[in-house]
PDB file of all heavy atoms in Angstrom:
ATOM      1  N   SER A   1      86.398 107.212 105.560  1.00  0.00           N
ATOM      2  CA  SER A   1      85.592 108.383 105.214  1.00  0.00           C
ATOM      3  C   SER A   1      86.488 109.383 104.492  1.00  0.00           C
ATOM      4  O   SER A   1      87.710 109.203 104.419  1.00  0.00           O
ATOM      5  CB  SER A   1      84.979 109.007 106.470  1.00  0.00           C
ATOM      6  OG  SER A   1      85.976 109.462 107.361  1.00  0.00           O
ATOM      7  N   ARG A   2      85.868 110.434 103.975  1.00  0.00           N
ATOM      8  CA  ARG A   2      86.645 111.419 103.236  1.00  0.00           C
ATOM      9  C   ARG A   2      86.031 112.794 103.399  1.00  0.00           C
ATOM     10  O   ARG A   2      84.833 112.932 103.621  1.00  0.00           O
ATOM     11  CB  ARG A   2      86.724 111.023 101.764  1.00  0.00           C
ATOM     12  CG  ARG A   2      85.382 111.021 101.041  1.00  0.00           C
ATOM     13  CD  ARG A   2      85.484 110.288  99.716  1.00  0.00           C
ATOM     14  NE  ARG A   2      86.417 110.946  98.817  1.00  0.00           N
ATOM     15  CZ  ARG A   2      87.024 110.333  97.800  1.00  0.00           C
ATOM     16  NH1 ARG A   2      86.809 109.048  97.554  1.00  0.00           N
ATOM     17  NH2 ARG A   2      87.852 110.997  97.019  1.00  0.00           N
ATOM     18  N   ASP A   3      86.891 113.789 103.290  1.00  0.00           N
ATOM     19  CA  ASP A   3      86.475 115.186 103.264  1.00  0.00           C
ATOM     20  C   ASP A   3      87.039 115.771 101.978  1.00  0.00           C
ATOM     21  O   ASP A   3      88.224 116.119 101.913  1.00  0.00           O
ATOM     22  CB  ASP A   3      87.004 115.906 104.503  1.00  0.00           C
ATOM     23  CG  ASP A   3      86.499 117.341 104.601  1.00  0.00           C
ATOM     24  OD1 ASP A   3      86.159 117.927 103.565  1.00  0.00           O
ATOM     25  OD2 ASP A   3      86.454 117.873 105.714  1.00  0.00           O
ATOM     26  N   ASN A   4      86.211 115.878 100.965  1.00  0.00           N
ATOM     27  CA  ASN A   4      86.694 116.341  99.667  1.00  0.00           C
ATOM     28  C   ASN A   4      87.196 117.775  99.723  1.00  0.00           C
ATOM     29  O   ASN A   4      88.126 118.143  98.995  1.00  0.00           O
ATOM     30  CB  ASN A   4      85.585 116.215  98.628  1.00  0.00           C
ATOM     31  CG  ASN A   4      85.258 114.770  98.309  1.00  0.00           C
ATOM     32  OD1 ASN A   4      86.087 113.873  98.505  1.00  0.00           O
ATOM     33  ND2 ASN A   4      84.061 114.519  97.833  1.00  0.00           N
ATOM     34  N   ALA A   5      86.607 118.579 100.585  1.00  0.00           N
ATOM     35  CA  ALA A   5      87.036 119.975 100.697  1.00  0.00           C
ATOM     36  C   ALA A   5      88.458 120.085 101.226  1.00  0.00           C
ATOM     37  O   ALA A   5      89.165 121.054 100.951  1.00  0.00           O
ATOM     38  CB  ALA A   5      86.081 120.748 101.595  1.00  0.00           C
ATOM     39  N   LYS A   6      88.863 119.082 101.997  1.00  0.00           N
ATOM     40  CA  LYS A   6      90.212 119.089 102.583  1.00  0.00           C
ATOM     41  C   LYS A   6      91.151 118.117 101.871  1.00  0.00           C
ATOM     42  O   LYS A   6      92.294 117.938 102.305  1.00  0.00           O
ATOM     43  CB  LYS A   6      90.140 118.725 104.067  1.00  0.00           C
ATOM     44  CG  LYS A   6      89.384 119.732 104.913  1.00  0.00           C
ATOM     45  CD  LYS A   6      89.397 119.327 106.376  1.00  0.00           C
ATOM     46  CE  LYS A   6      88.666 120.348 107.230  1.00  0.00           C
ATOM     47  NZ  LYS A   6      88.657 119.978 108.666  1.00  0.00           N
ATOM     48  N   ASN A   7      90.672 117.485 100.803  1.00  0.00           N
ATOM     49  CA  ASN A   7      91.484 116.484 100.092  1.00  0.00           C
ATOM     50  C   ASN A   7      92.064 115.459 101.065  1.00  0.00           C
ATOM     51  O   ASN A   7      93.244 115.114 100.991  1.00  0.00           O
ATOM     52  CB  ASN A   7      92.620 117.157  99.310  1.00  0.00           C
ATOM     53  CG  ASN A   7      92.133 117.804  98.041  1.00  0.00           C
ATOM     54  OD1 ASN A   7      90.935 117.861  97.774  1.00  0.00           O
ATOM     55  ND2 ASN A   7      93.062 118.307  97.248  1.00  0.00           N
ATOM     56  N   THR A   8      91.222 114.990 101.945  1.00  0.00           N
ATOM     57  CA  THR A   8      91.683 114.109 103.017  1.00  0.00           C
ATOM     58  C   THR A   8      90.794 112.880 103.115  1.00  0.00           C
ATOM     59  O   THR A   8      89.568 112.968 103.017  1.00  0.00           O
ATOM     60  CB  THR A   8      91.689 114.848 104.370  1.00  0.00           C
ATOM     61  OG1 THR A   8      92.517 116.004 104.259  1.00  0.00           O
ATOM     62  CG2 THR A   8      92.221 113.954 105.476  1.00  0.00           C
ATOM     63  N   VAL A   9      91.439 111.740 103.315  1.00  0.00           N
ATOM     64  CA  VAL A   9      90.752 110.483 103.571  1.00  0.00           C
ATOM     65  C   VAL A   9      91.138 110.013 104.967  1.00  0.00           C
ATOM     66  O   VAL A   9      92.297 110.155 105.377  1.00  0.00           O
ATOM     67  CB  VAL A   9      91.141 109.420 102.529  1.00  0.00           C
ATOM     68  CG1 VAL A   9      90.497 108.080 102.864  1.00  0.00           C
ATOM     69  CG2 VAL A   9      90.714 109.860 101.146  1.00  0.00           C
ATOM     70  N   TYR A  10      90.169 109.472 105.669  1.00  0.00           N
ATOM     71  CA  TYR A  10      90.391 109.038 107.047  1.00  0.00           C
ATOM     72  C   TYR A  10      90.137 107.540 107.191  1.00  0.00           C
ATOM     73  O   TYR A  10      89.409 106.930 106.403  1.00  0.00           O
ATOM     74  CB  TYR A  10      89.436 109.781 107.996  1.00  0.00           C
ATOM     75  CG  TYR A  10      89.538 111.270 107.930  1.00  0.00           C
ATOM     76  CD1 TYR A  10      88.642 112.016 107.159  1.00  0.00           C
ATOM     77  CD2 TYR A  10      90.520 111.956 108.647  1.00  0.00           C
ATOM     78  CE1 TYR A  10      88.721 113.397 107.095  1.00  0.00           C
ATOM     79  CE2 TYR A  10      90.610 113.335 108.582  1.00  0.00           C
ATOM     80  CZ  TYR A  10      89.708 114.051 107.812  1.00  0.00           C
ATOM     81  OH  TYR A  10      89.796 115.418 107.758  1.00  0.00           O
ATOM     82  N   LEU A  11      90.746 106.977 108.214  1.00  0.00           N
ATOM     83  CA  LEU A  11      90.435 105.602 108.609  1.00  0.00           C
ATOM     84  C   LEU A  11      90.276 105.603 110.124  1.00  0.00           C
ATOM     85  O   LEU A  11      91.254 105.746 110.855  1.00  0.00           O
ATOM     86  CB  LEU A  11      91.525 104.624 108.183  1.00  0.00           C
ATOM     87  CG  LEU A  11      91.210 103.158 108.470  1.00  0.00           C
ATOM     88  CD1 LEU A  11      90.042 102.679 107.600  1.00  0.00           C
ATOM     89  CD2 LEU A  11      92.438 102.267 108.228  1.00  0.00           C
ATOM     90  N   GLN A  12      89.041 105.493 110.565  1.00  0.00           N
ATOM     91  CA  GLN A  12      88.762 105.386 111.994  1.00  0.00           C
ATOM     92  C   GLN A  12      88.847 103.916 112.380  1.00  0.00           C
ATOM     93  O   GLN A  12      88.142 103.075 111.805  1.00  0.00           O
ATOM     94  CB  GLN A  12      87.365 105.929 112.307  1.00  0.00           C
ATOM     95  CG  GLN A  12      86.963 105.801 113.770  1.00  0.00           C
ATOM     96  CD  GLN A  12      87.803 106.667 114.683  1.00  0.00           C
ATOM     97  OE1 GLN A  12      88.079 107.822 114.374  1.00  0.00           O
ATOM     98  NE2 GLN A  12      88.221 106.115 115.815  1.00  0.00           N
ATOM     99  N   MET A  13      89.705 103.624 113.336  1.00  0.00           N
ATOM    100  CA  MET A  13      89.934 102.246 113.747  1.00  0.00           C
ATOM    101  C   MET A  13      89.558 102.092 115.217  1.00  0.00           C
ATOM    102  O   MET A  13      90.155 102.738 116.082  1.00  0.00           O
ATOM    103  CB  MET A  13      91.407 101.870 113.536  1.00  0.00           C
ATOM    104  CG  MET A  13      91.902 102.109 112.125  1.00  0.00           C
ATOM    105  SD  MET A  13      93.581 101.522 111.839  1.00  0.00           S
ATOM    106  CE  MET A  13      94.491 102.618 112.925  1.00  0.00           C
ATOM    107  N   ASN A  14      88.560 101.285 115.473  1.00  0.00           N
ATOM    108  CA  ASN A  14      88.090 101.024 116.834  1.00  0.00           C
ATOM    109  C   ASN A  14      88.328  99.562 117.205  1.00  0.00           C
ATOM    110  O   ASN A  14      88.549  98.711 116.333  1.00  0.00           O
ATOM    111  CB  ASN A  14      86.605 101.354 116.946  1.00  0.00           C
ATOM    112  CG  ASN A  14      86.302 102.809 116.663  1.00  0.00           C
ATOM    113  OD1 ASN A  14      87.111 103.695 116.945  1.00  0.00           O
ATOM    114  ND2 ASN A  14      85.132 103.069 116.098  1.00  0.00           N
ATOM    115  N   SER A  15      88.257  99.293 118.471  1.00  0.00           N
ATOM    116  CA  SER A  15      88.419  97.920 118.988  1.00  0.00           C
ATOM    117  C   SER A  15      89.655  97.256 118.386  1.00  0.00           C
ATOM    118  O   SER A  15      89.602  96.120 117.894  1.00  0.00           O
ATOM    119  CB  SER A  15      87.160  97.088 118.663  1.00  0.00           C
ATOM    120  OG  SER A  15      86.012  97.682 119.216  1.00  0.00           O
ATOM    121  N   LEU A  16      90.745  97.963 118.437  1.00  0.00           N
ATOM    122  CA  LEU A  16      91.968  97.470 117.807  1.00  0.00           C
ATOM    123  C   LEU A  16      92.472  96.197 118.473  1.00  0.00           C
ATOM    124  O   LEU A  16      92.360  96.016 119.690  1.00  0.00           O
ATOM    125  CB  LEU A  16      93.040  98.546 117.834  1.00  0.00           C
ATOM    126  CG  LEU A  16      92.833  99.647 116.778  1.00  0.00           C
ATOM    127  CD1 LEU A  16      93.612 100.901 117.128  1.00  0.00           C
ATOM    128  CD2 LEU A  16      93.240  99.127 115.400  1.00  0.00           C
ATOM    129  N   LYS A  17      93.045  95.340 117.630  1.00  0.00           N
ATOM    130  CA  LYS A  17      93.583  94.062 118.083  1.00  0.00           C
ATOM    131  C   LYS A  17      95.064  93.992 117.738  1.00  0.00           C
ATOM    132  O   LYS A  17      95.542  94.719 116.851  1.00  0.00           O
ATOM    133  CB  LYS A  17      92.845  92.914 117.382  1.00  0.00           C
ATOM    134  CG  LYS A  17      91.338  92.940 117.546  1.00  0.00           C
ATOM    135  CD  LYS A  17      90.694  91.826 116.723  1.00  0.00           C
ATOM    136  CE  LYS A  17      89.179  91.843 116.861  1.00  0.00           C
ATOM    137  NZ  LYS A  17      88.536  90.772 116.054  1.00  0.00           N
ATOM    138  N   SER A  18      95.760  93.087 118.383  1.00  0.00           N
ATOM    139  CA  SER A  18      97.196  92.963 118.119  1.00  0.00           C
ATOM    140  C   SER A  18      97.457  92.631 116.656  1.00  0.00           C
ATOM    141  O   SER A  18      98.458  93.063 116.083  1.00  0.00           O
ATOM    142  CB  SER A  18      97.806  91.896 119.026  1.00  0.00           C
ATOM    143  OG  SER A  18      97.165  90.643 118.824  1.00  0.00           O
ATOM    144  N   GLU A  19      96.553  91.894 116.041  1.00  0.00           N
ATOM    145  CA  GLU A  19      96.745  91.527 114.638  1.00  0.00           C
ATOM    146  C   GLU A  19      96.529  92.690 113.674  1.00  0.00           C
ATOM    147  O   GLU A  19      96.749  92.550 112.471  1.00  0.00           O
ATOM    148  CB  GLU A  19      95.837  90.356 114.242  1.00  0.00           C
ATOM    149  CG  GLU A  19      94.381  90.551 114.599  1.00  0.00           C
ATOM    150  CD  GLU A  19      94.012  89.859 115.905  1.00  0.00           C
ATOM    151  OE1 GLU A  19      94.800  89.951 116.883  1.00  0.00           O
ATOM    152  OE2 GLU A  19      92.930  89.232 115.940  1.00  0.00           O
ATOM    153  N   ASP A  20      96.106  93.843 114.186  1.00  0.00           N
ATOM    154  CA  ASP A  20      96.004  95.040 113.353  1.00  0.00           C
ATOM    155  C   ASP A  20      97.343  95.767 113.247  1.00  0.00           C
ATOM    156  O   ASP A  20      97.462  96.740 112.498  1.00  0.00           O
ATOM    157  CB  ASP A  20      94.962  96.007 113.922  1.00  0.00           C
ATOM    158  CG  ASP A  20      93.556  95.434 113.898  1.00  0.00           C
ATOM    159  OD1 ASP A  20      93.188  94.808 112.874  1.00  0.00           O
ATOM    160  OD2 ASP A  20      92.829  95.612 114.899  1.00  0.00           O
ATOM    161  N   THR A  21      98.326  95.306 113.993  1.00  0.00           N
ATOM    162  CA  THR A  21      99.645  95.928 113.948  1.00  0.00           C
ATOM    163  C   THR A  21     100.242  95.815 112.556  1.00  0.00           C
ATOM    164  O   THR A  21     100.340  94.723 112.000  1.00  0.00           O
ATOM    165  CB  THR A  21     100.586  95.258 114.968  1.00  0.00           C
ATOM    166  OG1 THR A  21     100.095  95.515 116.291  1.00  0.00           O
ATOM    167  CG2 THR A  21     102.003  95.790 114.837  1.00  0.00           C
ATOM    168  N   ALA A  22     100.604  96.953 111.987  1.00  0.00           N
ATOM    169  CA  ALA A  22     101.122  96.988 110.620  1.00  0.00           C
ATOM    170  C   ALA A  22     101.491  98.432 110.276  1.00  0.00           C
ATOM    171  O   ALA A  22     101.171  99.361 111.022  1.00  0.00           O
ATOM    172  CB  ALA A  22     100.078  96.474 109.627  1.00  0.00           C
ATOM    173  N   VAL A  23     102.130  98.584 109.132  1.00  0.00           N
ATOM    174  CA  VAL A  23     102.285  99.900 108.532  1.00  0.00           C
ATOM    175  C   VAL A  23     101.076 100.115 107.617  1.00  0.00           C
ATOM    176  O   VAL A  23     100.769  99.254 106.779  1.00  0.00           O
ATOM    177  CB  VAL A  23     103.590 100.021 107.737  1.00  0.00           C
ATOM    178  CG1 VAL A  23     103.685 101.402 107.097  1.00  0.00           C
ATOM    179  CG2 VAL A  23     104.791  99.768 108.637  1.00  0.00           C
ATOM    180  N   TYR A  24     100.416 101.219 107.810  1.00  0.00           N
ATOM    181  CA  TYR A  24      99.213 101.531 107.041  1.00  0.00           C
ATOM    182  C   TYR A  24      99.559 102.553 105.953  1.00  0.00           C
ATOM    183  O   TYR A  24     100.186 103.577 106.235  1.00  0.00           O
ATOM    184  CB  TYR A  24      98.120 102.063 107.960  1.00  0.00           C
ATOM    185  CG  TYR A  24      97.467 100.967 108.765  1.00  0.00           C
ATOM    186  CD1 TYR A  24      98.163 100.333 109.800  1.00  0.00           C
ATOM    187  CD2 TYR A  24      96.177 100.529 108.493  1.00  0.00           C
ATOM    188  CE1 TYR A  24      97.583  99.306 110.526  1.00  0.00           C
ATOM    189  CE2 TYR A  24      95.583  99.513 109.222  1.00  0.00           C
ATOM    190  CZ  TYR A  24      96.293  98.901 110.234  1.00  0.00           C
ATOM    191  OH  TYR A  24      95.711  97.882 110.963  1.00  0.00           O
ATOM    192  N   TYR A  25      99.093 102.247 104.752  1.00  0.00           N
ATOM    193  CA  TYR A  25      99.387 103.085 103.593  1.00  0.00           C
ATOM    194  C   TYR A  25      98.092 103.591 102.960  1.00  0.00           C
ATOM    195  O   TYR A  25      97.118 102.842 102.798  1.00  0.00           O
ATOM    196  CB  TYR A  25     100.144 102.290 102.529  1.00  0.00           C
ATOM    197  CG  TYR A  25     101.491 101.784 102.948  1.00  0.00           C
ATOM    198  CD1 TYR A  25     101.637 100.531 103.537  1.00  0.00           C
ATOM    199  CD2 TYR A  25     102.638 102.556 102.760  1.00  0.00           C
ATOM    200  CE1 TYR A  25     102.878 100.059 103.915  1.00  0.00           C
ATOM    201  CE2 TYR A  25     103.886 102.089 103.137  1.00  0.00           C
ATOM    202  CZ  TYR A  25     103.990 100.839 103.720  1.00  0.00           C
ATOM    203  OH  TYR A  25     105.230 100.377 104.096  1.00  0.00           O
ATOM    204  N   CYS A  26      98.129 104.836 102.576  1.00  0.00           N
ATOM    205  CA  CYS A  26      97.042 105.427 101.809  1.00  0.00           C
ATOM    206  C   CYS A  26      97.334 105.211 100.319  1.00  0.00           C
ATOM    207  O   CYS A  26      98.494 105.285  99.899  1.00  0.00           O
ATOM    208  CB  CYS A  26      96.968 106.913 102.138  1.00  0.00           C
ATOM    209  SG  CYS A  26      95.656 107.811 101.312  1.00  0.00           S
ATOM    210  N   ASN A  27      96.289 104.966  99.563  1.00  0.00           N
ATOM    211  CA  ASN A  27      96.448 104.680  98.145  1.00  0.00           C
ATOM    212  C   ASN A  27      95.454 105.485  97.331  1.00  0.00           C
ATOM    213  O   ASN A  27      94.302 105.652  97.739  1.00  0.00           O
ATOM    214  CB  ASN A  27      96.233 103.190  97.887  1.00  0.00           C
ATOM    215  CG  ASN A  27      96.083 102.870  96.421  1.00  0.00           C
ATOM    216  OD1 ASN A  27      94.966 102.812  95.881  1.00  0.00           O
ATOM    217  ND2 ASN A  27      97.205 102.653  95.745  1.00  0.00           N
ATOM    218  N   LEU A  28      95.918 105.968  96.182  1.00  0.00           N
ATOM    219  CA  LEU A  28      95.058 106.700  95.258  1.00  0.00           C
ATOM    220  C   LEU A  28      95.258 106.113  93.862  1.00  0.00           C
ATOM    221  O   LEU A  28      96.398 105.911  93.441  1.00  0.00           O
ATOM    222  CB  LEU A  28      95.408 108.192  95.275  1.00  0.00           C
ATOM    223  CG  LEU A  28      94.613 109.142  94.387  1.00  0.00           C
ATOM    224  CD1 LEU A  28      94.619 110.539  94.996  1.00  0.00           C
ATOM    225  CD2 LEU A  28      95.172 109.209  92.975  1.00  0.00           C
ATOM    226  N   ASN A  29      94.157 105.861  93.193  1.00  0.00           N
ATOM    227  CA  ASN A  29      94.197 105.341  91.829  1.00  0.00           C
ATOM    228  C   ASN A  29      93.556 106.371  90.916  1.00  0.00           C
ATOM    229  O   ASN A  29      92.364 106.662  91.051  1.00  0.00           O
ATOM    230  CB  ASN A  29      93.439 104.011  91.756  1.00  0.00           C
ATOM    231  CG  ASN A  29      93.511 103.381  90.371  1.00  0.00           C
ATOM    232  OD1 ASN A  29      93.646 104.069  89.359  1.00  0.00           O
ATOM    233  ND2 ASN A  29      93.399 102.071  90.310  1.00  0.00           N
ATOM    234  N   PHE A  30      94.358 106.930  90.036  1.00  0.00           N
ATOM    235  CA  PHE A  30      93.844 107.934  89.119  1.00  0.00           C
ATOM    236  C   PHE A  30      94.164 107.507  87.698  1.00  0.00           C
ATOM    237  O   PHE A  30      95.329 107.478  87.315  1.00  0.00           O
ATOM    238  CB  PHE A  30      94.446 109.309  89.413  1.00  0.00           C
ATOM    239  CG  PHE A  30      93.909 110.406  88.534  1.00  0.00           C
ATOM    240  CD1 PHE A  30      92.621 110.884  88.710  1.00  0.00           C
ATOM    241  CD2 PHE A  30      94.689 110.963  87.523  1.00  0.00           C
ATOM    242  CE1 PHE A  30      92.121 111.887  87.906  1.00  0.00           C
ATOM    243  CE2 PHE A  30      94.196 111.967  86.718  1.00  0.00           C
ATOM    244  CZ  PHE A  30      92.899 112.434  86.915  1.00  0.00           C
ATOM    245  N   ARG A  31      93.133 107.122  86.987  1.00  0.00           N
ATOM    246  CA  ARG A  31      93.275 106.698  85.592  1.00  0.00           C
ATOM    247  C   ARG A  31      94.324 105.609  85.446  1.00  0.00           C
ATOM    248  O   ARG A  31      95.116 105.610  84.501  1.00  0.00           O
ATOM    249  CB  ARG A  31      93.610 107.895  84.706  1.00  0.00           C
ATOM    250  CG  ARG A  31      92.501 108.936  84.669  1.00  0.00           C
ATOM    251  CD  ARG A  31      92.862 110.129  83.794  1.00  0.00           C
ATOM    252  NE  ARG A  31      91.792 111.120  83.782  1.00  0.00           N
ATOM    253  CZ  ARG A  31      91.876 112.300  83.167  1.00  0.00           C
ATOM    254  NH1 ARG A  31      92.974 112.617  82.509  1.00  0.00           N
ATOM    255  NH2 ARG A  31      90.868 113.130  83.201  1.00  0.00           N
ATOM    256  N   GLY A  32      94.334 104.702  86.398  1.00  0.00           N
ATOM    257  CA  GLY A  32      95.227 103.563  86.340  1.00  0.00           C
ATOM    258  C   GLY A  32      96.583 103.786  86.966  1.00  0.00           C
ATOM    259  O   GLY A  32      97.324 102.823  87.178  1.00  0.00           O
ATOM    260  N   ALA A  33      96.923 105.004  87.264  1.00  0.00           N
ATOM    261  CA  ALA A  33      98.197 105.300  87.935  1.00  0.00           C
ATOM    262  C   ALA A  33      97.987 105.220  89.439  1.00  0.00           C
ATOM    263  O   ALA A  33      97.031 105.780  89.964  1.00  0.00           O
ATOM    264  CB  ALA A  33      98.698 106.684  87.550  1.00  0.00           C
ATOM    265  N   LEU A  34      98.871 104.482  90.103  1.00  0.00           N
ATOM    266  CA  LEU A  34      98.754 104.293  91.552  1.00  0.00           C
ATOM    267  C   LEU A  34      99.722 105.199  92.287  1.00  0.00           C
ATOM    268  O   LEU A  34     100.893 105.304  91.923  1.00  0.00           O
ATOM    269  CB  LEU A  34      99.036 102.838  91.914  1.00  0.00           C
ATOM    270  CG  LEU A  34      98.093 101.800  91.308  1.00  0.00           C
ATOM    271  CD1 LEU A  34      98.507 100.402  91.763  1.00  0.00           C
ATOM    272  CD2 LEU A  34      96.658 102.080  91.693  1.00  0.00           C
ATOM    273  N   TYR A  35      99.209 105.817  93.332  1.00  0.00           N
ATOM    274  CA  TYR A  35     100.028 106.669  94.176  1.00  0.00           C
ATOM    275  C   TYR A  35      99.926 106.145  95.615  1.00  0.00           C
ATOM    276  O   TYR A  35      98.865 105.721  96.059  1.00  0.00           O
ATOM    277  CB  TYR A  35      99.542 108.123  94.126  1.00  0.00           C
ATOM    278  CG  TYR A  35      99.593 108.737  92.757  1.00  0.00           C
ATOM    279  CD1 TYR A  35      98.527 108.595  91.869  1.00  0.00           C
ATOM    280  CD2 TYR A  35     100.711 109.453  92.333  1.00  0.00           C
ATOM    281  CE1 TYR A  35      98.564 109.152  90.599  1.00  0.00           C
ATOM    282  CE2 TYR A  35     100.756 110.016  91.066  1.00  0.00           C
ATOM    283  CZ  TYR A  35      99.684 109.863  90.213  1.00  0.00           C
ATOM    284  OH  TYR A  35      99.728 110.410  88.955  1.00  0.00           O
ATOM    285  N   TRP A  36     101.067 106.201  96.316  1.00  0.00           N
ATOM    286  CA  TRP A  36     101.141 105.693  97.688  1.00  0.00           C
ATOM    287  C   TRP A  36     101.744 106.734  98.610  1.00  0.00           C
ATOM    288  O   TRP A  36     102.618 107.503  98.201  1.00  0.00           O
ATOM    289  CB  TRP A  36     102.013 104.435  97.751  1.00  0.00           C
ATOM    290  CG  TRP A  36     101.473 103.271  96.989  1.00  0.00           C
ATOM    291  CD1 TRP A  36     101.754 102.931  95.706  1.00  0.00           C
ATOM    292  CD2 TRP A  36     100.560 102.281  97.478  1.00  0.00           C
ATOM    293  NE1 TRP A  36     101.065 101.799  95.355  1.00  0.00           N
ATOM    294  CE2 TRP A  36     100.339 101.372  96.427  1.00  0.00           C
ATOM    295  CE3 TRP A  36      99.918 102.078  98.701  1.00  0.00           C
ATOM    296  CZ2 TRP A  36      99.483 100.269  96.555  1.00  0.00           C
ATOM    297  CZ3 TRP A  36      99.071 100.986  98.827  1.00  0.00           C
ATOM    298  CH2 TRP A  36      98.863 100.095  97.766  1.00  0.00           C
ATOM    299  N   GLY A  37     101.298 106.706  99.850  1.00  0.00           N
ATOM    300  CA  GLY A  37     101.946 107.502 100.868  1.00  0.00           C
ATOM    301  C   GLY A  37     103.144 106.757 101.420  1.00  0.00           C
ATOM    302  O   GLY A  37     103.450 105.629 101.025  1.00  0.00           O
ATOM    303  N   GLN A  38     103.802 107.375 102.385  1.00  0.00           N
ATOM    304  CA  GLN A  38     105.015 106.783 102.963  1.00  0.00           C
ATOM    305  C   GLN A  38     104.694 105.768 104.045  1.00  0.00           C
ATOM    306  O   GLN A  38     105.560 105.006 104.452  1.00  0.00           O
ATOM    307  CB  GLN A  38     105.919 107.884 103.544  1.00  0.00           C
ATOM    308  CG  GLN A  38     105.536 108.388 104.943  1.00  0.00           C
ATOM    309  CD  GLN A  38     104.279 109.242 104.968  1.00  0.00           C
ATOM    310  OE1 GLN A  38     103.721 109.609 103.932  1.00  0.00           O
ATOM    311  NE2 GLN A  38     103.833 109.581 106.169  1.00  0.00           N
ATOM    312  N   GLY A  39     103.457 105.766 104.493  1.00  0.00           N
ATOM    313  CA  GLY A  39     103.023 104.814 105.509  1.00  0.00           C
ATOM    314  C   GLY A  39     103.101 105.381 106.912  1.00  0.00           C
ATOM    315  O   GLY A  39     103.910 106.265 107.201  1.00  0.00           O
ATOM    316  N   THR A  40     102.239 104.863 107.768  1.00  0.00           N
ATOM    317  CA  THR A  40     102.262 105.243 109.182  1.00  0.00           C
ATOM    318  C   THR A  40     102.121 103.969 110.015  1.00  0.00           C
ATOM    319  O   THR A  40     101.282 103.112 109.733  1.00  0.00           O
ATOM    320  CB  THR A  40     101.150 106.260 109.501  1.00  0.00           C
ATOM    321  OG1 THR A  40     101.259 106.685 110.866  1.00  0.00           O
ATOM    322  CG2 THR A  40      99.753 105.702 109.275  1.00  0.00           C
ATOM    323  N   GLN A  41     102.969 103.857 111.019  1.00  0.00           N
ATOM    324  CA  GLN A  41     103.019 102.636 111.824  1.00  0.00           C
ATOM    325  C   GLN A  41     101.899 102.629 112.866  1.00  0.00           C
ATOM    326  O   GLN A  41     101.722 103.607 113.603  1.00  0.00           O
ATOM    327  CB  GLN A  41     104.369 102.516 112.528  1.00  0.00           C
ATOM    328  CG  GLN A  41     104.497 101.325 113.469  1.00  0.00           C
ATOM    329  CD  GLN A  41     104.564 100.000 112.738  1.00  0.00           C
ATOM    330  OE1 GLN A  41     105.297  99.862 111.759  1.00  0.00           O
ATOM    331  NE2 GLN A  41     103.787  99.025 113.201  1.00  0.00           N
TER     332      GLN A  41
END
């Protein structure tokens, strides 16, 4: 989901499984240029 007023994107994760273990990265594509966050474990 997203809140445009806060320039924020969310990922609600329910019923988590062991195979969901990973570093999660946010990504933005603007006119073909890709931007990445630093990741969250």
Side-chain angles (χ1 to χ4, degrees):
S1 62
R2 64 195 298 158
D3 185 335
N4 291 337
K6 296 182 179 180
N7 283 6
T8 303
V9 176
Y10 303 98
L11 184 67
Q12 177 66 43
M13 306 185 295
N14 299 328
S15 302
L16 283 161
K17 305 176 181 179
S18 58
E19 51 262 43
D20 296 318
T21 295
V23 178
Y24 284 71
Y25 297 90
C26 181
N27 167 267
L28 181 153
N29 183 332
F30 182 73
R31 296 179 181 176
L34 299 180
Y35 299 87
W36 296 93
Q38 81 288 352
T40 184
Q41 176 71 46

